[in-house]
Amino acid sequence: MSGKAYSGAEIIINSLVDLGVEVIFGYPGGAVLPLYDALFAQDKIRHILVRHEQAAVHAAEGYARSTGKVGVVLVTSGPGATNAVTGLTDAMLDSIPIICITGQVPVHLIGSDAFQEADTVGITRHCTKHNYLVKDVDKLSRIVHEAFYVATSGRPGPVVIDVPKDIQIFTSTNIHSGAIKHRSYRPEVKGDISAIKEAVEILAGAKKPIFYSGGGVINSGPAAAQLLREFVRLTGAPITSTLMGLGAYPASDKQFLGMLGMHGTYEANHAMHDCDVMVCVGARFDDRVTGRLEAFSPNSKKIHIDIDRSSINKTVRVDVPIVGDVAHVLEDMLKLWKAAILEKGQQSYADWWAEIDKWRERDCLRYAKTKDTIMPQYALERLQALTKDKDVYFTTEVGQHQMWAAQYLKLEDPNRFMTSGGLGTMGYGFPAAIGVQIAHPNALVIDVAGEASIQMNIQELGTAMQYGLPVKIFILNNEYMGMVRQWQEMNHGARYSQSYSESLPDFVALAKAYGAHGITVDRPADLDGAIREMMETDGLVIVDCRVEKLANCFPMVPSGAAHNEMILPDEEEIKEFEGGAALV
Amino acid sequence: MHHTHKEIELAERHTLSIIVDNEAGVLARVIGLFSGRGYNIEHLTVAPVDLQGTESRITVVTIGTPPVIEQIKAQLDRLVPVHRVGDLTESGPHVERELALIKIHCKGEQQQAALRIAEAFRAKIVDSSFESYIFEVTGKTDKIKAFIRLMEDVGLVEAVRTGVAALTRGAQAL
């Protein structure tokens, strides 16, 4: 407690400084003017002015996911808050720590349908981990600190603090500082040691083990990825990863089977289907991963490490649930494993690897090379090859290009791949790239985009130019909402209803209009040159890479199919599965 | 929520007790979780239970297959203002009660019948006029339902029920 009285707005800004916040992504409006006034009067926090509130949240997500810090957003009441909802939902589904401060009409006007009033806590209750409506300025400082604790501890997520305009003006001497304990919310980080023992025993007896890791490893922090690498290498077992987990284990390692799931590799999905012990590390058996549930890895014992108890047994029954933080649990597992090896010796899994190598021989990411048109897969292979020695971060939008990026960009490190996994938000990638570039000003930040997705937050070109951010937008332009078109081809008789990208802008001219640089490339022979030009150009670049229009994304586990019923690129015969058309 | 035939067959009724911070919006969070994820609510009661009024106790009677009940408890437990979630059906013997007010309109013989039934159910008369009564009855849900059913024949006007309140038996708290 200090004797000096501060306004609510000052309390918020000072609390954010106290909590180590350096950047806020936001957009002003009537109900947050006192807060913007307080921002104006200080120089510890940098404010990044976006062009739409949805982009503020995605930028904060990119910032958070590439640094491990909290992303902070500031928007006004009403439309400011409702525009942020998509971003908040995205952060909720991908477990990204976000603090979103929303302005609200003065307390006495709440409920009167005042100008720019929306029931923000009501609207965001379902898309946040928690939210607050502050009605007493004396509680404000504590709430901001508590919100940080909630956003970052346990399974991370977005937290909204809705602050009426008069609360921003009223003063208080109640100032909280430092860490906080919540009255009821105290997630466990240590796993139950008897469950961990049981898991190690089961794993030690396995003949066909597999690790299946997810975004939880990245959320847990760099130590978790290190421990995962050490443990997996020590066991000699294969490992696959979800979309959200890519980079936690290096893609170039021979034990890595690539991504699993709907567009996962043949070897990863078959290994998941045939394994006898599965160790799920910070993943959640999402429907994009499991395929048809009844046919999911039918003969395996399943060990599941997750910090969120509600993720365990939600869709797939597991044999050994371990509730705890991935890094803490892996540390304990690793110790017990080392002791087990000393006692029993290390298994080689040679037969298992022989099976896996047969699946690998299918070379499931092979695609037909073309002379005249650029295959999207080829574009990403070249992008990977030419950027691999750089300090590079990738973001993606959502659709075919996103899955190709996951397949062909070989990610070696965690926090380097920002993508909208759970919600599948088109328009995520570019603002996320802005957030990444703010956090890593000297890095190469590339948004792998489609021509449809990029238009969903194209207005952020203004933001990137204002702050001189040299983000590279690499558009795989096939003139279709590619994934929609692919599904229409597979499930709806190739009736391409509304999936053609009509009236596209001239992306080069668009770049020029904002003062950026644009490149068009449509021949394979010119691709490397275009990528080099993109990298060598200072400042923002849009590459309009014209690719084969009707390329499909394979391999694929169609909706309603099992892991061992994949469609491969060379047997592009399209099978329909019962009920598949009704599934998402 | 979509139920297969098998799921309906295996569905169980569970009485859950949830201790929460008595703060604005907490009930909306709990109910919103049930509606958002497609869970059922059969009964719901809520009120502050400590002298300071800082904690409330929510009792929910819900129906679901064992995995769904597990999921409901795990989901409730991760709500930030939730302190504890207890499953009274699983934790053993417990007492369940609800209270109902039942208004009837009747004369003559019907009046005598109503009073006889009320006596058998140990219902109290809490309001009466020339041709009407309000009865107060407490007990298990089955008893309340039976009482209301009988009163339909003698002139039920309307009824209100509080929903189930429940505690485990013995000296232990939740």
PDB file of all heavy atoms in Angstrom, chain A residues 58-77:
ATOM      1  N   HIS A  58      -4.587 -10.981 -32.513  1.00  0.00           N
ATOM      2  CA  HIS A  58      -3.693 -11.909 -33.223  1.00  0.00           C
ATOM      3  C   HIS A  58      -2.228 -11.467 -33.103  1.00  0.00           C
ATOM      4  O   HIS A  58      -1.325 -12.295 -32.953  1.00  0.00           O
ATOM      5  CB  HIS A  58      -4.069 -12.016 -34.699  1.00  0.00           C
ATOM      6  CG  HIS A  58      -5.399 -12.683 -34.932  1.00  0.00           C
ATOM      7  ND1 HIS A  58      -5.860 -13.709 -34.137  1.00  0.00           N
ATOM      8  CD2 HIS A  58      -6.357 -12.466 -35.870  1.00  0.00           C
ATOM      9  CE1 HIS A  58      -7.049 -14.092 -34.584  1.00  0.00           C
ATOM     10  NE2 HIS A  58      -7.370 -13.350 -35.624  1.00  0.00           N
ATOM     11  N   ALA A  59      -1.997 -10.151 -33.180  1.00  0.00           N
ATOM     12  CA  ALA A  59      -0.627  -9.651 -33.034  1.00  0.00           C
ATOM     13  C   ALA A  59      -0.102 -10.000 -31.635  1.00  0.00           C
ATOM     14  O   ALA A  59       1.033 -10.445 -31.478  1.00  0.00           O
ATOM     15  CB  ALA A  59      -0.587  -8.143 -33.277  1.00  0.00           C
ATOM     16  N   ALA A  60      -0.963  -9.816 -30.637  1.00  0.00           N
ATOM     17  CA  ALA A  60      -0.564 -10.158 -29.265  1.00  0.00           C
ATOM     18  C   ALA A  60      -0.296 -11.658 -29.138  1.00  0.00           C
ATOM     19  O   ALA A  60       0.608 -12.087 -28.419  1.00  0.00           O
ATOM     20  CB  ALA A  60      -1.647  -9.718 -28.280  1.00  0.00           C
ATOM     21  N   GLU A  61      -1.078 -12.462 -29.879  1.00  0.00           N
ATOM     22  CA  GLU A  61      -0.845 -13.912 -29.870  1.00  0.00           C
ATOM     23  C   GLU A  61       0.515 -14.251 -30.477  1.00  0.00           C
ATOM     24  O   GLU A  61       1.253 -15.089 -29.945  1.00  0.00           O
ATOM     25  CB  GLU A  61      -1.932 -14.638 -30.680  1.00  0.00           C
ATOM     26  CG  GLU A  61      -3.291 -14.698 -30.022  1.00  0.00           C
ATOM     27  CD  GLU A  61      -4.258 -15.503 -30.888  1.00  0.00           C
ATOM     28  OE1 GLU A  61      -4.868 -14.923 -31.814  1.00  0.00           O
ATOM     29  OE2 GLU A  61      -4.391 -16.710 -30.651  1.00  0.00           O
ATOM     30  N   GLY A  62       0.823 -13.614 -31.613  1.00  0.00           N
ATOM     31  CA  GLY A  62       2.119 -13.860 -32.258  1.00  0.00           C
ATOM     32  C   GLY A  62       3.259 -13.454 -31.343  1.00  0.00           C
ATOM     33  O   GLY A  62       4.261 -14.168 -31.198  1.00  0.00           O
ATOM     34  N   TYR A  63       3.071 -12.309 -30.698  1.00  0.00           N
ATOM     35  CA  TYR A  63       4.072 -11.816 -29.738  1.00  0.00           C
ATOM     36  C   TYR A  63       4.246 -12.828 -28.608  1.00  0.00           C
ATOM     37  O   TYR A  63       5.367 -13.215 -28.251  1.00  0.00           O
ATOM     38  CB  TYR A  63       3.594 -10.471 -29.194  1.00  0.00           C
ATOM     39  CG  TYR A  63       4.497  -9.836 -28.166  1.00  0.00           C
ATOM     40  CD1 TYR A  63       5.534  -8.985 -28.554  1.00  0.00           C
ATOM     41  CD2 TYR A  63       4.320 -10.075 -26.806  1.00  0.00           C
ATOM     42  CE1 TYR A  63       6.365  -8.390 -27.620  1.00  0.00           C
ATOM     43  CE2 TYR A  63       5.148  -9.495 -25.864  1.00  0.00           C
ATOM     44  CZ  TYR A  63       6.169  -8.644 -26.278  1.00  0.00           C
ATOM     45  OH  TYR A  63       6.991  -8.068 -25.333  1.00  0.00           O
ATOM     46  N   ALA A  64       3.108 -13.294 -28.052  1.00  0.00           N
ATOM     47  CA  ALA A  64       3.157 -14.204 -26.908  1.00  0.00           C
ATOM     48  C   ALA A  64       3.770 -15.547 -27.292  1.00  0.00           C
ATOM     49  O   ALA A  64       4.642 -16.076 -26.599  1.00  0.00           O
ATOM     50  CB  ALA A  64       1.745 -14.411 -26.353  1.00  0.00           C
ATOM     51  N   ARG A  65       3.338 -16.086 -28.408  1.00  0.00           N
ATOM     52  CA  ARG A  65       3.760 -17.429 -28.790  1.00  0.00           C
ATOM     53  C   ARG A  65       5.216 -17.493 -29.212  1.00  0.00           C
ATOM     54  O   ARG A  65       5.865 -18.525 -29.080  1.00  0.00           O
ATOM     55  CB  ARG A  65       2.862 -17.928 -29.918  1.00  0.00           C
ATOM     56  CG  ARG A  65       2.754 -19.422 -29.935  1.00  0.00           C
ATOM     57  CD  ARG A  65       1.634 -19.907 -30.789  1.00  0.00           C
ATOM     58  NE  ARG A  65       1.931 -21.264 -31.195  1.00  0.00           N
ATOM     59  CZ  ARG A  65       1.957 -22.309 -30.364  1.00  0.00           C
ATOM     60  NH1 ARG A  65       1.683 -22.147 -29.104  1.00  0.00           N
ATOM     61  NH2 ARG A  65       2.258 -23.506 -30.803  1.00  0.00           N
ATOM     62  N   SER A  66       5.741 -16.363 -29.711  1.00  0.00           N
ATOM     63  CA  SER A  66       7.136 -16.391 -30.143  1.00  0.00           C
ATOM     64  C   SER A  66       8.093 -16.010 -29.017  1.00  0.00           C
ATOM     65  O   SER A  66       9.302 -16.118 -29.175  1.00  0.00           O
ATOM     66  CB  SER A  66       7.335 -15.444 -31.342  1.00  0.00           C
ATOM     67  OG  SER A  66       7.165 -14.102 -30.944  1.00  0.00           O
ATOM     68  N   THR A  67       7.554 -15.537 -27.881  1.00  0.00           N
ATOM     69  CA  THR A  67       8.435 -15.104 -26.780  1.00  0.00           C
ATOM     70  C   THR A  67       8.198 -15.866 -25.480  1.00  0.00           C
ATOM     71  O   THR A  67       9.060 -15.882 -24.609  1.00  0.00           O
ATOM     72  CB  THR A  67       8.208 -13.618 -26.429  1.00  0.00           C
ATOM     73  OG1 THR A  67       6.824 -13.448 -26.063  1.00  0.00           O
ATOM     74  CG2 THR A  67       8.554 -12.711 -27.579  1.00  0.00           C
ATOM     75  N   GLY A  68       7.003 -16.457 -25.321  1.00  0.00           N
ATOM     76  CA  GLY A  68       6.652 -17.050 -24.027  1.00  0.00           C
ATOM     77  C   GLY A  68       6.131 -16.017 -23.037  1.00  0.00           C
ATOM     78  O   GLY A  68       5.820 -16.345 -21.896  1.00  0.00           O
ATOM     79  N   LYS A  69       6.040 -14.752 -23.469  1.00  0.00           N
ATOM     80  CA  LYS A  69       5.499 -13.708 -22.586  1.00  0.00           C
ATOM     81  C   LYS A  69       3.984 -13.579 -22.788  1.00  0.00           C
ATOM     82  O   LYS A  69       3.412 -14.222 -23.665  1.00  0.00           O
ATOM     83  CB  LYS A  69       6.147 -12.359 -22.906  1.00  0.00           C
ATOM     84  CG  LYS A  69       7.646 -12.315 -22.670  1.00  0.00           C
ATOM     85  CD  LYS A  69       8.160 -10.926 -23.056  1.00  0.00           C
ATOM     86  CE  LYS A  69       9.687 -10.878 -23.079  1.00  0.00           C
ATOM     87  NZ  LYS A  69      10.153  -9.626 -23.691  1.00  0.00           N
ATOM     88  N   VAL A  70       3.369 -12.686 -21.996  1.00  0.00           N
ATOM     89  CA  VAL A  70       1.938 -12.431 -22.153  1.00  0.00           C
ATOM     90  C   VAL A  70       1.737 -11.391 -23.250  1.00  0.00           C
ATOM     91  O   VAL A  70       2.492 -10.423 -23.328  1.00  0.00           O
ATOM     92  CB  VAL A  70       1.348 -11.889 -20.831  1.00  0.00           C
ATOM     93  CG1 VAL A  70      -0.135 -11.598 -20.981  1.00  0.00           C
ATOM     94  CG2 VAL A  70       1.585 -12.881 -19.711  1.00  0.00           C
ATOM     95  N   GLY A  71       0.737 -11.572 -24.085  1.00  0.00           N
ATOM     96  CA  GLY A  71       0.373 -10.568 -25.074  1.00  0.00           C
ATOM     97  C   GLY A  71      -0.713  -9.669 -24.498  1.00  0.00           C
ATOM     98  O   GLY A  71      -1.665 -10.169 -23.915  1.00  0.00           O
ATOM     99  N   VAL A  72      -0.538  -8.352 -24.643  1.00  0.00           N
ATOM    100  CA  VAL A  72      -1.492  -7.427 -24.026  1.00  0.00           C
ATOM    101  C   VAL A  72      -2.210  -6.609 -25.099  1.00  0.00           C
ATOM    102  O   VAL A  72      -1.585  -6.107 -26.036  1.00  0.00           O
ATOM    103  CB  VAL A  72      -0.795  -6.501 -23.008  1.00  0.00           C
ATOM    104  CG1 VAL A  72      -1.797  -5.577 -22.339  1.00  0.00           C
ATOM    105  CG2 VAL A  72      -0.058  -7.337 -21.961  1.00  0.00           C
ATOM    106  N   VAL A  73      -3.532  -6.497 -24.918  1.00  0.00           N
ATOM    107  CA  VAL A  73      -4.395  -5.835 -25.895  1.00  0.00           C
ATOM    108  C   VAL A  73      -5.220  -4.769 -25.180  1.00  0.00           C
ATOM    109  O   VAL A  73      -5.640  -4.965 -24.036  1.00  0.00           O
ATOM    110  CB  VAL A  73      -5.353  -6.873 -26.537  1.00  0.00           C
ATOM    111  CG1 VAL A  73      -6.344  -6.200 -27.471  1.00  0.00           C
ATOM    112  CG2 VAL A  73      -4.569  -7.955 -27.263  1.00  0.00           C
ATOM    113  N   LEU A  74      -5.427  -3.640 -25.859  1.00  0.00           N
ATOM    114  CA  LEU A  74      -6.252  -2.569 -25.298  1.00  0.00           C
ATOM    115  C   LEU A  74      -7.231  -2.100 -26.369  1.00  0.00           C
ATOM    116  O   LEU A  74      -6.809  -1.643 -27.436  1.00  0.00           O
ATOM    117  CB  LEU A  74      -5.346  -1.408 -24.852  1.00  0.00           C
ATOM    118  CG  LEU A  74      -6.002  -0.114 -24.389  1.00  0.00           C
ATOM    119  CD1 LEU A  74      -6.964  -0.360 -23.234  1.00  0.00           C
ATOM    120  CD2 LEU A  74      -4.934   0.893 -23.963  1.00  0.00           C
ATOM    121  N   VAL A  75      -8.525  -2.241 -26.091  1.00  0.00           N
ATOM    122  CA  VAL A  75      -9.536  -1.832 -27.067  1.00  0.00           C
ATOM    123  C   VAL A  75     -10.676  -1.109 -26.365  1.00  0.00           C
ATOM    124  O   VAL A  75     -10.822  -1.200 -25.149  1.00  0.00           O
ATOM    125  CB  VAL A  75     -10.118  -3.043 -27.843  1.00  0.00           C
ATOM    126  CG1 VAL A  75      -9.042  -3.730 -28.662  1.00  0.00           C
ATOM    127  CG2 VAL A  75     -10.793  -4.023 -26.908  1.00  0.00           C
ATOM    128  N   THR A  76     -11.485  -0.439 -27.136  1.00  0.00           N
ATOM    129  CA  THR A  76     -12.571   0.324 -26.536  1.00  0.00           C
ATOM    130  C   THR A  76     -13.799  -0.569 -26.320  1.00  0.00           C
ATOM    131  O   THR A  76     -13.780  -1.767 -26.588  1.00  0.00           O
ATOM    132  CB  THR A  76     -12.889   1.575 -27.395  1.00  0.00           C
ATOM    133  OG1 THR A  76     -13.727   2.450 -26.622  1.00  0.00           O
ATOM    134  CG2 THR A  76     -13.589   1.194 -28.695  1.00  0.00           C
ATOM    135  N   SER A  77     -14.867   0.051 -25.813  1.00  0.00           N
ATOM    136  CA  SER A  77     -16.100  -0.684 -25.506  1.00  0.00           C
ATOM    137  C   SER A  77     -16.824  -1.075 -26.795  1.00  0.00           C
ATOM    138  O   SER A  77     -16.397  -0.725 -27.897  1.00  0.00           O
ATOM    139  CB  SER A  77     -17.018   0.208 -24.667  1.00  0.00           C
ATOM    140  OG  SER A  77     -17.399   1.336 -25.447  1.00  0.00           O
TER     141      SER A  77
END
